[in-house]
Amino acid sequence: MHDFLRTFFDLHEILQVLPTLLTEGLRNTLLIAALAIAFGVVAGVLLAMLLLSRRRLMRLPARLYVDVFRGLPAIVTVSLVGLGLPAAGIRPFGREALGYAVLAIALISAAYSAEIFRAGIQSVPRGQLHAARSLGMPYLTAMRVVVVPQGVRNVLPALAGQFIIDIKESALVYLLGLGLGQRELYFIAQERQAATYNSSALVAAGLCYLLLTIPLTYAVNLLDRRMREGRRTPVTAAPAKAVA
């Protein structure tokens, strides 16, 4: 029991690594996840529009993208983007590993966000589109002004859930060998564990992830409940009529 506690809950090791986790690691984890979900939202809306297109030539590339990046394990995508692209001479971010890390997670996020937006747009009654078209709006304008905003509102809880997934998947970018100042939570903890052969740093990193994901999970559940039930307005009794 003593060896178990010393391996996983060594207070000295936790206190040694915690400041770096809370400053550098937490900052970069949130940065990667935030940029990934921002890209995912923009690209996801565009992909969803293509998936819903009546033209087969527009649907097929979007469907291929979504199927590929949803089907591949995240660790394979991170390796292909972060290690494969620079090896092939494609270096849009130069030697900055953090840029490739964001791109890899963002490509995955865009594929899942596309399916989220597609489902949200399809949940909007077709009558909304027909009504907009009857007022003389072109198809794209009707989708942009009337249908898409309603669809986005319907999938806000799912998008928040995708942000939680992006936070957890950011741990995979340790494969890219991030430099000082760019390391995320898992990379810092894994380096410490490799140097000390003690897993307490990984436990500390796990606690940091839980501090991020558990409140967000409850917030997503609350948002989902509010979206489904709507805000309840108190019912007040009508004033009694005066008797003459």
Side-chain angles (χ1 to χ4, degrees), residues 26 29-30 33-34 37 156-168 208-224:
L26 188 62
T29 293
L30 288 174
I37 194 64
L156 284 177
L159 284 177
Q162 182 60 42
F163 180 62
I164 295 174
I165 294 173
D166 291 342
I167 289 176
K168 293 187 288 186
C208 290
Y209 281 114
L210 292 177
L211 288 174
L212 289 173
T213 57
I214 290 179
L216 284 173
T217 300
Y218 279 98
V220 169
N221 293 337
L222 178 62
L223 178 61
D224 183 50

Side-chain angles (χ1 to χ4, degrees), residues 91-119:
R91 300 185 176 90
F93 305 103
R95 298 182 179 275
E96 293 294 328
L98 185 63
Y100 298 98
V102 171
L103 177 61
I105 303 301
L107 290 174
I108 301 170
S109 182
Y112 283 93
S113 297
E115 284 296 300
I116 291 172
F117 283 120
R118 180 191 60 78

